[in-house]
C-alpha cells in the first residue's frame, strides 16, 4: 500500500496502475467502451455494445448470464483472459489520470484516481440520493468476483485551485495516452500524471475539499460495504472515481425518467385527474418538453405519454393531497422536489405502483423512455431536471433525495481505465 501514503483529512486521491485496453488488440477504443452500467438501456443497448467488439467492457460490467453467480464468474474469467491475451495491460507506474470529455461546446476535465473511502459522518463525500439494496448487492458480488473497480464514479467538488491548474496545463501541453470519439459524438482524451511533485500539489489542494457524488451512489455504497468486509488496511480502502472541479467545469444536470411497464397510459391519466391539473399537450416530444419546462418553473409538473405521440401535462397538484402524502420530517426544499412528489403522491397514493424493478424502470434518455413505454404498453413519466445548487445544499444538510432524482454529466466512459486491486 505504499502508493497511498499517510491518511489526511479531506479528499485523498491516490495514484494507481491503470488497467487499459491495448489499442492494437481491439477494433477501436470507441468500440470497447460503454456508458455506465445503469445507463445501458436493456436489452437493445446491451446487445449493440456486445456486438461492437468481442472485448467490449459491457461484458465485464453487465455479463450476460441468467444466474447472478454465473454472471460474476463470467466477468472475472473474461477479465483474467483479456489480461492473459494482452487485450488489457497495466500501466508500468502508478498515475493519476487527467480525463477530458468534449461534447460540442461543453468541455469537462477531471482526475481519475483511487479515492480514500470515508464514512458518512466524516462529511468528506456527500451523497444526495438514496440507494436500493438490490443493485448494491449485485455490484458488490461483481467487484468481489473480479477484484476490480471496473468503472469510475463521478464526483464533483468546488475548487478552482492548484489541482485545476495542473489538469489544464497537462491537457494543453502534453500528448495524451489515448484519444477516441464514441458513438454519441463525445471526444475522450486521457493523460497519465506521474510526477511526484505534481501529485503532491494535487493532494494538498484536494485535502481542503469535500465532494458531492454526482453519479454512482450504488457503487459508492458498494465500496463502503466491501471495505467493511476486510480485516485491516487493504486496497479496498480506496475506490475508483472521476473527480471534477465544478468551479472550473460545471456539470450538466438532467432528469432521470420513470417508465411504468404495468400501468397503461389511459389508466394513468384517468387515475390522476383530481390530484393534478391534467392538460393534453401537442407533440412532437421537444415541444411537449418545452411545455413541461414552463410548468416546472411554477411548481411540480410531469409529462405523461404512452409513446404513441400523445402527451398529457400534469401540474398544480392538489395542495391538500400533497400535504397529506409528502412526509413532514424533511426540509421544505426536499418536500418540494419533483421526485419526492412523484413517489409520495403519484406512485404510492394515486397509482399505487409497487416499488420494485418490474414495476418501475429508471431511464436517463428521454426518447428511450418514450420508446420503452410504447414497447411495453406502459406509461413514461418524463421529468424536468433539478438545479445543482438545490442538490448540493440538501447534501450539505445531510438530506438525501429520492433515488434516481438527477443525472449529472457528461458521465465518464466505462473502459478507458480500470482499477485491478490485484495490482496493488
Amino acid at each position: 500500500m505504499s502508493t497511498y501514503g499517510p491518511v489526511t483529512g479531506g479528499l485523498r486521491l491516490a495514484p494507481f496502475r491503470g488497467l487499459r485496453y491495448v489499442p492494437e488488440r481491439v477494433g477501436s477504443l470507441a468500440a470497447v467502451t460503454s456508458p455506465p452500467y445503469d445507463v445501458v438501456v436493456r436489452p437493445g443497448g446491451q446487445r449493440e455494445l456486445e456486438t461492437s467488439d468481442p472485448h467490449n467492457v459491457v461484458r465485464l460490467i453487465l455479463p450476460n448470464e441468467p444466474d447472478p453467480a454465473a454472471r460474476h464468474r463470467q466477468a472475472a474469467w473474461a477479465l483474467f483472459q483479456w489480461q492473459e491475451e494482452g487485450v488489457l495491460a497495466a500501466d508500468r507506474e502508478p498515475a493519476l489520470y487527467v480525463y477530458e470529455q468534449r461534447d460540442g461546446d461543453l468541455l469537462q476535465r477531471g482526475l481519475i484516481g483511487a479515492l480514500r473511502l470515508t464514512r458518512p459522518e466524516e462529511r468528506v463525500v456527500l451523497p444526495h440520493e438514496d440507494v436500493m439494496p438490490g443493485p448494491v448487492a449485485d455490484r458488490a458480488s461483481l467487484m468481489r468476483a473480479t477484484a476490480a473497480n471496473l468503472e469510475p464514479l463521478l464526483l464533483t467538488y468546488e475548487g478552482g485551485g492548484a489541482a485545476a491548474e495542473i489538469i489544464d496545463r497537462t491537457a494543453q501541453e502534453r500528448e495524451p495516452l489515448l484519444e477516441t470519439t464514441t458513438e454519441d459524438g463525445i471526444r475522450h482524451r486521457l493523460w497519465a500524471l506521474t510526477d511526484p511533485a505534481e501529485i503532491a500539489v494535487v493532494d494538498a489542494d484536494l485535502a481542503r475539499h469535500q465532494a458531492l457524488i454526482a453519479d454512482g451512489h450504488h457503487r459508492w455504497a458498494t465500496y463502503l460495504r466491501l471495505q467493511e468486509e476486510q480485516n485491516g488496511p487493504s486496497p479496498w480502502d480506496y475506490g475508483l472515481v472521476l473527480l471534477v472541479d465544478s468551479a472550473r467545469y460545471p456539470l450538466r444536470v438532467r432528469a432521470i425518467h420513470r417508465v411504468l411497464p404495468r400501468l397503461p397510459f389511459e389508466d394513468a391519466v384517468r387515475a390522476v385527474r383530481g390530484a393534478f391539473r391534467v392538460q393534453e399537450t401537442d407533440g412532437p416530444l421537444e415541444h411537449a418538453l418545452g411545455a413541461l419546462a414552463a410548468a416546472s418553473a411554477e411548481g411540480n409538473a410531469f409529462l405523461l405519454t404512452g409513446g404513441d405521440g400523445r402527451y398529457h401535462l400534469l401540474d398544480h397538484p392538489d395542495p391538500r393531497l400533497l400535504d397529506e402524502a409528502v412526509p413532514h420530517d424533511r426540509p421544505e426544499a426536499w418536500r418540494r422536489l419533483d421526485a419526492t412528489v412523484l413517489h409520495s403522491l403519484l406512485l404510492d397514493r394515486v397509482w399505487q405502483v409497487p416499488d420494485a424493478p418490474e414495476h418501475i424502470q429508471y431511464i436517463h434518455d428521454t426518447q428511450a423512455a418514450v420508446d420503452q413505454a410504447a414497447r411495453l404498453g406502459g406509461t413514461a413519466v418524463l421529468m424536468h431536471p433539478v438545479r445543482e445548487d438545490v442538490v448540493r445544499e440538501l447534501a450539505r444538510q445531510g438530506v438525501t433525495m429520492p433515488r434516481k432524482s438527477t443525472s449529472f454529466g457528461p458521465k465518464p466512459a466505462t473502459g478507458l481505465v480500470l482499477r485491478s486491486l490485484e495490482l496493488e
Side-chain angles (χ1 to χ4, degrees):
M1 293 295 291
S2 60
T3 298
Y4 298 112
V7 172
T8 63
L11 298 169
R12 170 79 174 129
L13 193 66
F16 68 102
R17 293 179 62 200
L19 192 61
R20 299 189 294 110
Y21 281 98
V22 178
E24 296 77 16
R25 300 303 304 273
V26 296
S28 72
L29 289 174
V32 294
T33 63
S34 165
Y37 82 99
D38 58 340
V39 180
V40 177
V41 180
R42 293 175 180 261
Q46 184 172 347
R47 284 198 298 267
E48 184 177 333
L49 291 166
E50 288 173 341
T51 56
S52 65
D53 188 286
H55 299 103
N56 188 285
V57 73
V58 78
R59 296 179 182 272
L60 303 181
I61 62 172
L62 287 173
N64 199 2
E65 286 285 342
D67 176 66
R71 279 201 302 270
H72 303 145
R73 287 195 301 268
Q74 181 189 64
W77 177 248
L79 182 61
F80 171 77
Q81 281 292 103
W82 294 358
Q83 293 177 77
E84 288 291 297
E85 297 167 1
V87 174
L88 288 169
D91 288 333
R92 292 185 177 182
E93 56 183 324
L96 297 177
Y97 294 88
V98 174
Y99 177 43
E100 176 187 279
Q101 295 159 278
R102 186 180 291 275
D103 183 9
D105 294 333
L106 177 65
L107 176 66
Q108 178 171 289
R109 291 178 181 146
L111 280 173
I112 295 177
L115 185 70
R116 178 178 65 95
L117 305 184
T118 53
R119 307 308 305 175
E121 58 269 18
E122 295 181 61
R123 309 296 294 154
V124 174
V125 175
L126 306 177
H128 72 268
E129 288 184 357
D130 296 327
V131 297
M132 296 174 280
V136 173
D138 178 74
R139 292 296 100 181
S141 178
L142 177 63
M143 289 188 203
R144 285 192 208 98
T146 58
N149 300 153
L150 299 172
E151 45 187 339
L153 284 65
L154 176 59
L155 274 63
T156 175
Y157 74 105
E158 295 178 307
E165 294 174 4
I166 290 175
I167 291 169
D168 285 345
R169 186 166 64 245
T170 299
Q172 292 162 4
E173 298 178 359
R174 303 176 191 176
E175 286 296 314
L177 291 174
L178 63 85
E179 181 173 353
T180 190
T181 300
T182 45
E183 190 178 42
D184 54 10
I186 298 178
R187 188 183 72 168
H188 308 262
R189 297 200 294 170
L190 192 76
W191 295 261
L193 196 65
T194 59
D195 183 341
E198 290 184 320
I199 291 175
V201 170
V202 169
D203 189 54
D205 187 11
L206 295 181
R208 302 181 297 111
H209 296 288
Q210 62 181 185
L212 175 74
I213 301 177
D215 184 68
H217 285 81
H218 289 91
R219 282 166 283 161
W220 180 257
T222 300
Y223 287 169
L224 296 178
R225 172 182 292 191
L226 294 174
Q227 181 191 36
E228 289 177 352
E229 296 175 359
Q230 311 310 309
N231 293 321
S234 78
W236 295 100
D237 293 331
Y238 292 75
L240 186 64
V241 306
L242 166 63
L243 194 58
V244 175
D245 180 352
S246 61
R248 187 71 61 97
Y249 299 105
L251 272 66
R252 182 175 58 201
V253 187
R254 290 176 172 167
I256 301 177
H257 311 293
R258 275 66 167 162
V259 173
L260 313 177
R262 301 188 181 182
L263 179 64
F265 175 60
E266 300 291 351
D267 293 349
V269 173
R270 186 181 309 111
V272 81
R273 295 187 186 280
F276 281 76
R277 183 175 71 173
V278 181
Q279 304 175 82
E280 289 192 36
T281 302
D282 293 334
L285 177 59
E286 289 72 19
H287 181 274
L289 290 172
L292 173 63
S296 294
E298 300 181 5
N300 300 117
F302 309 93
L303 190 66
L304 304 187
T305 181
D308 60 356
R310 293 180 298 153
Y311 301 92
H312 282 71
L313 179 68
L314 312 185
D315 64 358
H316 294 286
D318 180 278
R320 180 184 60 81
L321 294 178
L322 196 61
D323 187 65
E324 291 176 356
V326 177
H328 286 257
D329 59 348
R330 303 287 182 92
E332 187 62 24
W334 180 89
R335 300 187 74 245
R336 292 197 305 265
L337 291 171
D338 285 341
T340 300
V341 173
L342 170 64
H343 284 264
S344 298
L345 179 54
L346 279 172
L347 294 174
D348 291 352
R349 285 211 174 190
V350 175
W351 292 327
Q352 299 181 6
V353 174
D355 187 6
E358 61 269 25
H359 291 277
I360 306 174
Q361 298 179 1
Y362 299 88
I363 298 181
H364 294 70
D365 182 78
T366 308
Q367 187 62 57
V370 173
D371 294 343
Q372 183 79 331
R375 184 162 49 247
L376 300 176
T379 300
V381 184
L382 306 182
M383 304 179 68
H384 189 68
V386 63
R387 298 194 320 273
E388 181 180 356
D389 63 305
V390 174
V391 176
R392 191 177 295 276
E393 182 54 36
L394 285 172
R396 283 175 173 158
Q397 295 177 42
V399 178
T400 54
M401 300 167 65
R403 57 182 173 267
K404 300 297 183 182
S405 295
T406 60
S407 176
F408 285 86
K411 303 180 190 303
T414 299
L416 294 181
V417 58
L418 289 63
R419 176 179 177 245
S420 171
L421 279 73
E422 294 181 341
L423 295 172
E424 303 170 15

